[in-house]
Amino acid sequence: MTSAAEMPGPEPVGDGDLSRVPVLALDGLSLRFGGLAALTGLDLAVYDGEIVSLIGPNGAGKSTVFNVITGVYRPSAGRVLFAGRPIDGLAPHHIARLGIGRTFQTLRLFLNMSVLENVLAATYGRTRATPVESILRLPWARREERAARAVASEVLSFFGQRLAGYRWDQPAYSLSYANRRRLEIARALATRPRLLLLDEPAAGMNPSETREITQLIGRLRDELGLAILVIEHDMHVVAGCSDRVVALDHGVKIAEGDFDLVASHPSVIEAYLGRDPEALAEGE
Amino acid sequence: MGEPSAGPAVGADEWVARQAGRREYLPSWLGAAQRADERLGPWSWWAKLAFVGLVALSLPLLGIGPFQIQVGIDTLVLAMLAVGLNICVGWTGLLDLGYIAFFGVGAYGFAVLSSSQINLHWADYFSMPVVMIAAALLGLLVGLPTRRLIGDYLAVVTLFLGQIFGDVVLNDARGVLGGTNGIVGIDPVHGIGTIGSNEGYYYLLLFLLIATMAVLRLLETSRTGRAWRAVREDPLAADSMTIPVTRVRIMAFMFGAMVAALTGSIYASQQISVFPGNFDISVLILVYAALILGGTGSIAGAVTGALVLNIVYDGLLRNPTYSGYIFYGLIVLTLVVKLRPWRRLAAVLGATAVLGVIAHAAVGAVWPAAVAGGPQSGGWIASVIRDWVIVPSSPQTLGRFAFVLLVCLVIGLVQAKGWWRTALLVPTLYVASIAWEAILISPSEVAVTRNIMLGVIVIVIMISRPQGIFGARRVETAT
């Protein structure tokens, strides 16, 4: 295997003690759609090698957070800092190139491209060959292409037999639902991120696949040293992999801490189940 | 392919099974060809290109006439245009209806720079690159304002931008572009040696087509090609995967424009003249038809579509004899493919033959003038069906009745079920033959018949292969 090291990783940022500077910091982030406040004054920090889960009932604004971080939406107020550098207002492809990879809740694979091409396409930002250089197959263009393929085979091998070599030339639409989720993660990894945003990675998976994906999230952190922010409804996944859990409701952070703390937090229970009618009566 | 591909296909799924099954269906020699093709791997495409190129190269040596050479040139021009259109439409998924303007800009640019129009007479190795670069810049100009548009919105805007070209040419106040009179007396291509014959242009266009195909193939399998297709599949996801969507789209516009402009400049020098009508919507529709027929997203498909469309339409359907071969050939082919079991096919064909012989004999005995016309198509088919088909000495009236009856019979055929359908097929085939010989192929109608035939052929191909001849089947993606 040619060395994947030829592909430049995330751009080195900052010069001080990296453990002090969070990889991702949301600072008073707000987003309004007309009169609707999707996010209000959200503060959040994710550090290197940390897995943070974002939970909350439907419509709490979890995916919106992802869309603001990755530049799909521009925040109405507040800042998004990536390794200490403000990134709000940058285009999505620019943010992705800085080192934020993501998956989508509603799968958005390149369905009519092969499995391998899906992953290779995501190496665009880390390759440089111009069309003319590619046409002429100049030495550095070939070297770059080899490196991109090495990256692709590396990230696909993360999934073992699930995305084994014989599937590489299949169109992505031929994959099962669970494998599509895996391919989305592989594609995000091919952008060589430092921070990975996973939007409901276990949605639609059976219990054993869910266990597998929980372990995989841990491996991504342990073997690739990624910081991971994950949205998940399945509490087995959240409990199984998170270092820290952040709960959102109506675009506001209602609780933060380790899983047990957040899971038993009154506001979280209220957000999911509604207020206890007796307590409600007593309160009035 | 990469290293970990070895090992058993654990959990081989439906798709894998289907691929394997498809190979087993083929008869032995086709299967062998397919295995040889698979051994070539990524080189298979180049081997096929070389083979087809050699065949096309040797065609003029077979001693074909000037008409066939002209058809060949037109086909190559259409193929070039289709290959260029494929960049925007097939790969990047941009419905560009202004494409033909780039063809026009190439032709008019060359016509102005290399003719007596303003007495420039630039050498083609100079004017062609200039024209191509100008077209690429124009592509940039079209791409920039439309960068946020997709689908039909983009189509409408590019259609409008394309129409500007025609308006500019027609309303050019200083007369440089010649208005409705066009530009005449364009220099021939005279880079290394002057090309004085149509054979020369055939070879030049063939060389350029193969070179363009090769360049675009190299591009297709590079990071740029992957980015184009990723943008077609899902622009938002592509953006989130480090692909600068706007830049990639504009690049597609520019490459498409360059191919169209190159084609235009050769076209202008071969025609010696350019007129605004050469670059109107009907040409655009033809290019789209070629691309869709061949299969969008495939270089080989674009060329094949152009080949089928132009050779059938211009080369064969003009000639009543060839047209007849295609007509009867299509009918027999459809029957062979669709009628099962073989006994039913034999029964239908036999019954049709008997019906014709009896009808011809009966009518001939009662009223000799009614069969005196004989078939109007030529070739061996005419001699075979001379004593079978009824064509009066003045066939117009019967032909019209037969045509109307044929339409009624076809409607009945579609409605009928089971045994009735088979029975109804016999008179339908016979009436079709009468209509064809009596009127459809007559000199006054052949121009109309040509269009009907082309429509039928395109419909048949698109029904049997909705993704086009070489197109890959695609699933819809929500964007």
Side-chain angles (χ1 to χ4, degrees):
Chain A
M1 188 183 283
T2 45
S3 81
E6 283 179 44
M7 296 273 292
E11 291 166 22
V13 236
D15 44 7
D17 187 0
L18 280 179
S19 62
R20 288 282 178 80
V21 181
V23 183
L24 177 77
L26 307 183
D27 182 12
L29 200 66
S30 296
L31 179 69
R32 304 185 67 84
F33 294 114
L36 177 82
L39 295 175
T40 313
L42 182 65
D43 295 318
L44 178 72
V46 181
Y47 292 87
D48 262 323
E50 192 183 26
I51 301 176
V52 177
S53 289
L54 204 53
I55 63 167
N58 289 329
K62 305 182 297 295
S63 292
T64 309
V65 173
F66 275 22
N67 282 335
V68 173
I69 295 171
T70 55
V72 177
Y73 299 140
R74 199 174 279 228
S76 322
R79 320 216 66 180
V80 181
L81 300 168
F82 180 65
R85 165 179 176 179
I87 56 167
D88 44 86
L90 295 181
H93 62 88
H94 196 160
I95 291 173
R97 204 150 69 184
L98 290 176
I100 300 183
R102 76 170 292 185
T103 66
F104 295 89
Q105 181 187 0
T106 53
L107 292 163
R108 304 190 76 132
L109 285 171
F110 308 133
L111 283 181
N112 295 306
M113 293 167 72
S114 74
V115 168
L116 184 64
E117 278 182 326
N118 263 276
V119 178
L120 282 176
T123 63
Y124 189 91
R126 304 226 173 270
T127 44
R128 289 282 166 277
T130 62
V132 175
E133 286 166 349
S134 293
I135 290 166
L136 296 176
R137 293 288 195 262
L138 293 180
W140 55 89
R142 303 175 81 109
R143 201 158 51 229
E144 203 177 71
E145 181 74 14
R146 270 201 305 276
R149 277 169 195 273
V151 167
S153 106
E154 189 187 312
V155 300
L156 283 168
S157 66
F158 231 88
F159 298 85
Q161 280 296 326
R162 299 293 194 177
L163 295 175
Y166 75 95
R167 285 197 207 272
W168 288 6
D169 289 330
Q170 293 182 20
Y173 67 71
S174 71
L175 294 181
S176 70
Y177 192 74
N179 268 341
R180 289 185 192 192
R181 288 235 172 262
R182 295 186 184 105
L183 181 56
E184 273 228 336
I185 298 176
R187 188 179 66 172
L189 289 177
T191 65
R192 303 252 111 174
R194 192 169 151 202
L195 169 70
L196 187 61
L197 310 180
L198 300 175
D199 201 341
E200 299 201 22
M205 289 193 171
N206 66 31
S208 83
E209 287 169 335
T210 304
R211 266 194 305 281
E212 196 184 306
I213 205 85
T214 312
Q215 285 164 5
L216 181 92
I217 295 171
R219 278 177 58 208
L220 290 176
R221 186 254 312 266
D222 298 339
E223 293 175 28
L224 300 178
L226 297 178
I228 299 172
L229 184 59
V230 50
I231 294 176
E232 189 49 68
H233 279 300
D234 190 320
M235 288 305 147
H236 297 294
V237 178
V238 176
C241 69
S242 333
D243 297 318
R244 197 147 49 88
V245 178
V246 174
L248 285 188
D249 192 26
H250 299 301
V252 181
K253 182 158 82 181
I254 53 173
E256 179 169 2
D258 64 27
F259 177 76
D260 296 326
L261 185 93
V262 172
S264 55
H265 196 285
S267 326
V268 176
I269 296 170
E270 186 190 317
Y272 273 94
L273 301 174
R275 204 180 285 190
D276 180 0
E278 286 174 25
L280 205 66
E282 281 167 26
E284 279 169 6
Chain B
M1 195 46 59
E3 309 73 28
S5 61
V10 175
D13 48 31
E14 188 199 352
W15 194 87
V16 176
R18 203 146 27 91
Q19 291 298 103
R22 197 172 291 159
R23 198 172 310 145
E24 278 166 19
Y25 276 157
L26 293 174
S28 58
W29 64 274
L30 271 173
Q34 197 168 350
R35 273 190 291 279
D37 185 50
E38 272 171 18
R39 265 199 299 280
L40 283 172
W43 294 104
S44 138
W45 193 91
W46 298 96
K48 285 176 200 153
L49 178 68
F51 175 73
V52 173
L54 281 178
V55 169
L57 208 60
S58 56
L59 276 183
L61 303 178
L62 300 176
I64 57 178
F67 170 69
Q68 279 86 345
I69 286 285
Q70 184 61 49
V71 171
I73 288 172
D74 292 343
T75 307
L76 289 170
V77 166
L78 186 62
M80 284 277 278
L81 289 175
V83 165
L85 184 67
N86 182 46
I87 301 172
C88 272
V89 177
W91 288 341
T92 323
L94 302 170
L95 194 53
D96 174 14
L97 295 185
Y99 180 71
I100 208 68
F102 298 123
F103 180 46
V105 165
Y108 266 89
F110 185 83
V112 169
L113 295 178
S114 299
S115 74
S116 304
Q117 191 71 8
I118 48 175
N119 251 324
L120 273 179
H121 292 289
W122 285 7
D124 47 72
Y125 50 76
F126 200 57
S127 54
M128 276 182 196
V130 167
V131 162
M132 281 169 73
I133 290 167
L137 291 177
L138 212 66
L140 177 73
L141 225 61
V142 172
L144 270 179
T146 59
R147 66 187 181 279
R148 291 187 199 287
L149 302 174
I150 53 166
D152 20 13
Y153 304 103
L154 178 72
V156 171
V157 174
T158 50
L159 181 65
F160 159 75
L161 290 174
Q163 288 306 97
I164 292 179
F165 168 76
D167 291 340
V168 167
V169 169
L170 285 173
N171 298 303
D172 163 36
R174 290 164 58 203
V176 176
L177 299 177
T180 44
N181 297 325
I183 298 176
V184 292
I186 299 167
D187 298 349
V189 171
H190 55 280
I192 303 157
T194 303
I195 294 182
S197 67
N198 272 352
E199 276 86 354
Y201 279 103
Y202 177 84
Y203 285 123
L204 176 67
L205 275 165
L206 184 62
F207 168 76
L208 286 175
L209 176 64
I210 290 175
T212 308
M213 287 170 76
V215 162
L216 291 181
R217 175 67 182 180
L218 289 169
L219 209 53
E220 184 192 9
T221 52
S222 76
R223 66 194 279 268
T224 310
R226 288 191 296 261
W228 279 339
R229 275 170 287 142
V231 167
R232 173 192 71 199
E233 293 295 314
D234 191 329
L236 174 64
D239 208 353
S240 298
M241 298 301 141
T242 70
I243 296 171
V245 174
T246 302
R247 197 191 310 167
V248 162
R249 274 187 178 173
I250 289 175
M251 231 146 57
F253 269 117
M254 292 173 77
F255 270 94
M258 283 198 325
V259 174
L262 174 66
T263 317
S265 54
I266 308 280
Y267 176 81
S269 65
Q270 192 265 330
Q271 297 265 304
I272 314 173
S273 57
V274 287
F275 302 100
N278 297 138
F279 313 101
D280 62 9
I281 294 288
S282 61
V283 184
L284 179 72
I285 291 172
L286 200 64
V287 181
Y288 262 95
L291 182 59
I292 292 168
L293 193 68
T296 49
S298 156
I299 300 173
V303 173
T304 312
L307 215 66
V308 170
L309 209 62
N310 206 56
I311 290 188
V312 167
Y313 188 65
D314 239 15
L316 301 179
L317 289 180
R318 270 184 210 281
N319 181 318
T321 310
Y322 293 143
S323 199
Y325 288 151
I326 292 179
F327 176 74
Y328 290 109
L330 266 183
I331 288 178
V332 171
L333 195 71
T334 311
L335 290 179
V336 168
V337 170
K338 284 286 173 192
L339 266 192
R340 295 282 154 79
W342 290 96
R343 266 172 286 129
R344 184 184 295 197
L345 174 67
V348 166
L349 290 180
T352 312
V354 171
L355 171 71
V357 170
I358 294 174
H360 189 273
V363 171
V366 178
W367 185 18
V371 292
Q376 297 196 41
S377 63
W380 57 267
I381 290 180
S383 42
V384 168
I385 62 175
R386 182 162 303 280
D387 292 325
W388 177 76
V389 70
I390 299 171
V391 181
S393 43
S394 56
Q396 294 289 331
T397 316
L398 177 72
R400 286 192 188 115
F401 279 117
F403 188 72
V404 172
L405 184 60
L406 175 64
V407 172
C408 298
L409 280 170
V410 168
I411 293 172
L413 202 61
V414 173
Q415 298 298 323
K417 292 272 176 289
W419 192 86
W420 279 104
R421 177 179 277 192
T422 314
L424 205 55
L425 200 53
V426 175
T428 309
L429 290 175
Y430 189 56
V431 172
S433 176
I434 292 177
W436 181 262
E437 298 297 344
I439 188 161
L440 287 176
I441 204 59
S442 65
S444 57
E445 304 291 343
V446 75
V448 179
T449 308
R450 193 160 77 109
N451 290 320
I452 298 175
M453 283 292 286
L454 185 74
V456 169
I457 291 170
V458 169
I459 289 170
V460 167
I461 294 179
M462 291 317 291
I463 287 177
S464 53
R465 273 191 80 81
Q467 68 270 45
I469 298 168
F470 280 117
R473 198 168 300 161
R474 282 196 209 153
V475 294
E476 293 290 321
T477 42
T479 39

